[in-house]
Amino acid sequence: QQLESWGIEVHRTAPDLDSKSLFRAHKLFCELAVTVSAPAGNPLKRDQSAYSPSAQQLANAEQIRDQHRQILHDFLGGAPYTAWVMPTAGVVAFPHNPEHVPIDVDGTGYPYWQPLLGYVFQASTCGNPVVTIPIAMAGHLPVGVQVIGRMWEDEQVLAVAGVLEMLLEDPIPPPPLHINRA
């Protein structure tokens, strides 16, 4: 509603993605990345005997990703949509949680990653450019939206994010930089 009050044409719609199959593909790509690249001592590092996706599973995941890339490409193919703006996360910001303890959402504890990935895995799995910008504050923590664009059109995403940022009545300052010098 706020965007419309600024004269921006808003369509409340989304591309017809099969989020369940795309998330399964996302998980396989993550499994592969962890199997191959997590350094020793990293809590995500898998034992050599742990599960690693098969070549066939990865080929299937790549096919799913390609199908969804085409859906996003068609959806963001110009008029009337130049960008897809959606929440960054399914929860408001919360303090840093390095132990990944469950996150409380309306009185129910969810695995740390679940409320965080619900809105971000689509674009990241497909490889679309994304800019996240803070648009409000919840207490002392920011609430953000992400601007998603067509592959290889990063400048369009930056332009849309820039317009949104200029329209904010009270721009959100960047958080303080925390440096661990230990």
Side-chain angles (χ1 to χ4, degrees):
Q1 292 169 338
Q2 184 70 35
L3 293 174
E4 290 171 320
S5 74
W6 292 327
I8 296 174
E9 186 176 344
V10 175
H11 299 262
R12 288 170 179 80
T13 188
D16 189 21
L17 300 173
D18 177 357
S19 292
K20 287 184 180 181
S21 69
L22 187 59
F23 187 71
R24 284 193 300 272
H26 173 80
K27 281 179 62 175
L28 281 172
F29 294 132
C30 290
E31 290 286 341
L32 178 64
V34 166
T35 300
V36 172
S37 63
N42 185 306
L44 297 176
K45 182 68 177 176
R46 304 289 160 82
D47 183 284
Q48 293 294 343
S49 63
Y51 167 79
S52 182
S54 71
Q56 184 60 52
Q57 288 173 310
L58 289 170
N60 292 343
E62 187 63 40
Q63 184 177 19
I64 290 167
R65 175 167 52 186
D66 285 345
Q67 291 167 352
H68 286 82
R69 279 180 172 163
Q70 187 61 51
I71 292 168
L72 275 174
H73 178 81
D74 293 346
F75 178 76
L76 295 168
Y81 313 119
T82 55
W84 181 22
V85 179
M86 61 190 292
T88 302
V91 295
V92 295
F94 51 86
H96 184 57
N97 184 356
E99 280 76 41
H100 298 178
V101 296
I103 297 173
D104 179 64
V105 178
D106 295 330
T108 302
Y110 288 92
Y112 179 76
W113 58 268
Q114 200 169 23
L116 300 177
L117 288 181
Y119 291 109
V120 299
F121 77 90
Q122 297 92 341
S124 63
T125 302
C126 291
N128 290 67
V130 178
V131 171
T132 300
I133 58 171
I135 59 164
M137 297 295 285
H140 65 284
L141 297 169
V143 175
V145 295
Q146 57 183 327
V147 179
I148 302 167
R150 285 177 73 174
M151 286 183 72
W152 314 118
E153 294 188 10
D154 303 51
E155 65 283 346
Q156 180 72 23
V157 174
L158 292 170
V160 171
V163 168
L164 291 176
E165 197 169 45
M166 286 186 331
L167 293 172
L168 292 173
E169 292 177 18
D170 296 315
I172 310 301
L177 181 60
H178 297 283
I179 300 174
N180 183 355
R181 298 187 189 268

